[in-house]
Tab-separated table of all heavy atoms in Angstrom:
chain	number	residue	atom	x	y	z
A	108	TRP	N	118.392	-46.282	-65.094
A	108	TRP	CA	119.531	-46.842	-65.938
A	108	TRP	C	118.994	-47.956	-66.758
A	108	TRP	O	119.714	-48.464	-67.737
A	108	TRP	CB	120.579	-47.432	-64.968
A	108	TRP	CG	121.406	-46.201	-64.431
A	108	TRP	CD1	121.030	-45.678	-63.245
A	108	TRP	CD2	122.612	-45.741	-64.898
A	108	TRP	NE1	122.081	-44.511	-62.973
A	108	TRP	CE2	122.842	-44.671	-63.986
A	108	TRP	CE3	123.291	-45.963	-65.966
A	108	TRP	CZ2	124.109	-43.984	-64.317
A	108	TRP	CZ3	124.529	-45.121	-66.265
A	108	TRP	CH2	124.764	-44.091	-65.441
A	109	GLY	N	117.751	-48.333	-66.606
A	109	GLY	CA	117.208	-49.425	-67.433
A	109	GLY	C	116.187	-48.942	-68.345
A	109	GLY	O	116.357	-47.946	-69.201
A	110	SER	N	114.896	-49.434	-68.335
A	110	SER	CA	113.827	-49.157	-69.155
A	110	SER	C	112.879	-48.326	-68.351
A	110	SER	O	112.658	-48.366	-67.103
A	110	SER	CB	113.210	-50.397	-69.580
A	110	SER	OG	111.924	-50.232	-70.128
A	111	PRO	N	111.972	-47.338	-69.063
A	111	PRO	CA	111.112	-46.600	-68.357
A	111	PRO	C	110.035	-47.383	-67.541
A	111	PRO	O	109.447	-46.999	-66.679
A	111	PRO	CB	110.440	-45.784	-69.456
A	111	PRO	CG	111.528	-45.596	-70.471
A	111	PRO	CD	112.290	-46.905	-70.363
A	112	LYS	N	109.782	-48.682	-68.098
A	112	LYS	CA	108.869	-49.461	-67.452
A	112	LYS	C	109.424	-49.985	-66.031
A	112	LYS	O	108.530	-50.532	-65.233
A	112	LYS	CB	108.523	-50.680	-68.306
A	112	LYS	CG	109.617	-51.619	-68.556
A	112	LYS	CD	109.195	-52.845	-69.424
A	112	LYS	CE	110.533	-53.585	-69.772
A	112	LYS	NZ	110.679	-54.825	-69.351
A	113	ASP	N	110.717	-49.829	-65.718
A	113	ASP	CA	111.129	-50.073	-64.557
A	113	ASP	C	111.061	-49.056	-63.424
A	113	ASP	O	111.398	-49.271	-62.182
A	113	ASP	CB	112.710	-50.433	-64.591
A	113	ASP	CG	112.946	-51.666	-65.612
A	113	ASP	OD1	112.038	-52.618	-65.667
A	113	ASP	OD2	113.967	-51.738	-66.187
A	114	ILE	N	110.599	-47.892	-63.669
A	114	ILE	CA	110.574	-46.739	-62.888
A	114	ILE	C	109.941	-47.092	-61.493
A	114	ILE	O	110.336	-46.864	-60.363
A	114	ILE	CB	109.941	-45.515	-63.519
A	114	ILE	CG1	110.912	-44.998	-64.572
A	114	ILE	CG2	109.669	-44.396	-62.506
A	114	ILE	CD1	112.188	-44.427	-64.084
A	115	ALA	N	108.635	-47.637	-61.707
A	115	ALA	CA	107.769	-47.882	-60.400
A	115	ALA	C	108.602	-48.878	-59.514
A	115	ALA	O	108.718	-48.633	-58.209
A	115	ALA	CB	106.517	-48.530	-60.813
A	116	SER	N	109.198	-49.837	-60.005
A	116	SER	CA	109.944	-50.881	-59.109
A	116	SER	C	111.240	-50.190	-58.629
A	116	SER	O	111.488	-50.438	-57.367
A	116	SER	CB	110.261	-52.231	-59.793
A	116	SER	OG	111.120	-52.009	-60.844
A	117	GLU	N	111.951	-49.402	-59.412
A	117	GLU	CA	113.147	-48.688	-58.885
A	117	GLU	C	112.723	-47.675	-57.809
A	117	GLU	O	113.503	-47.629	-56.792
A	117	GLU	CB	113.846	-47.966	-59.971
A	117	GLU	CG	114.567	-48.944	-60.975
A	117	GLU	CD	115.043	-48.121	-62.273
A	117	GLU	OE1	114.691	-47.113	-62.526
A	117	GLU	OE2	115.882	-48.835	-62.942
A	118	MET	N	111.567	-47.020	-57.859
A	118	MET	CA	111.226	-45.999	-56.879
A	118	MET	C	110.817	-46.770	-55.585
A	118	MET	O	111.262	-46.311	-54.379
A	118	MET	CB	110.056	-45.215	-57.364
A	118	MET	CG	110.473	-44.143	-58.451
A	118	MET	SD	111.614	-42.812	-57.904
A	118	MET	CE	110.462	-41.983	-56.797
A	119	SER	N	110.219	-47.900	-55.739
A	119	SER	CA	109.844	-48.768	-54.597
A	119	SER	C	111.176	-49.321	-53.889
A	119	SER	O	111.293	-49.294	-52.687
A	119	SER	CB	108.993	-50.004	-55.129
A	119	SER	OG	108.695	-50.804	-54.014
A	120	GLN	N	112.204	-49.697	-54.682
A	120	GLN	CA	113.442	-50.126	-54.125
A	120	GLN	C	114.093	-49.039	-53.311
A	120	GLN	O	114.653	-49.196	-52.164
A	120	GLN	CB	114.376	-50.704	-55.259
A	120	GLN	CG	113.823	-51.823	-56.027
A	120	GLN	CD	114.639	-52.220	-57.242
A	120	GLN	OE1	115.522	-51.477	-57.465
A	120	GLN	NE2	114.071	-53.115	-58.056
A	121	ILE	N	114.083	-47.769	-53.925
A	121	ILE	CA	114.703	-46.738	-53.209
A	121	ILE	C	113.935	-46.476	-51.875
A	121	ILE	O	114.616	-46.344	-50.850
A	121	ILE	CB	114.712	-45.399	-54.057
A	121	ILE	CG1	115.652	-45.573	-55.251
A	121	ILE	CG2	115.032	-44.149	-53.217
A	121	ILE	CD1	115.577	-44.523	-56.274
A	122	ARG	N	112.674	-46.304	-51.791
A	122	ARG	CA	112.017	-46.320	-50.604
A	122	ARG	C	112.275	-47.360	-49.577
A	122	ARG	O	112.447	-47.146	-48.449
A	122	ARG	CB	110.470	-46.229	-50.836
A	122	ARG	CG	109.902	-44.829	-51.379
A	122	ARG	CD	108.473	-44.736	-51.464
A	122	ARG	NE	107.879	-45.684	-52.337
A	122	ARG	CZ	107.789	-45.528	-53.662
A	122	ARG	NH1	108.164	-44.337	-54.344
A	122	ARG	NH2	107.227	-46.458	-54.277
A	123	HIS	N	112.321	-48.628	-49.973
A	123	HIS	CA	112.613	-49.731	-49.237
A	123	HIS	C	113.965	-49.537	-48.592
A	123	HIS	O	114.157	-49.668	-47.429
A	123	HIS	CB	112.506	-51.033	-50.046
A	123	HIS	CG	113.012	-52.234	-49.237
A	123	HIS	ND1	112.191	-52.838	-48.352
A	123	HIS	CD2	114.147	-52.851	-49.238
A	123	HIS	CE1	112.926	-53.737	-47.846
A	123	HIS	NE2	114.128	-53.861	-48.266
A	124	ILE	N	115.062	-49.262	-49.474
A	124	ILE	CA	116.381	-49.131	-48.940
A	124	ILE	C	116.384	-47.956	-47.858
A	124	ILE	O	116.946	-48.145	-46.770
A	124	ILE	CB	117.383	-49.005	-50.001
A	124	ILE	CG1	117.426	-50.334	-50.825
A	124	ILE	CG2	118.756	-48.539	-49.506
A	124	ILE	CD1	118.220	-50.181	-52.116
A	125	MET	N	115.930	-46.862	-48.269
A	125	MET	CA	116.078	-45.630	-47.423
A	125	MET	C	115.353	-45.815	-46.088
A	125	MET	O	115.658	-45.360	-44.973
A	125	MET	CB	115.522	-44.405	-48.124
A	125	MET	CG	116.488	-44.006	-49.346
A	125	MET	SD	118.180	-43.680	-49.003
A	125	MET	CE	117.991	-42.121	-47.903
Side-chain angles (χ1 to χ4, degrees):
W108 286 86
S110 164
K112 66 182 169 107
D113 298 330
I114 290 291
S116 66
E117 290 174 342
M118 290 294 288
S119 178
Q120 292 167 11
I121 290 169
R122 281 189 297 277
H123 173 81
I124 290 168
M125 295 300 291

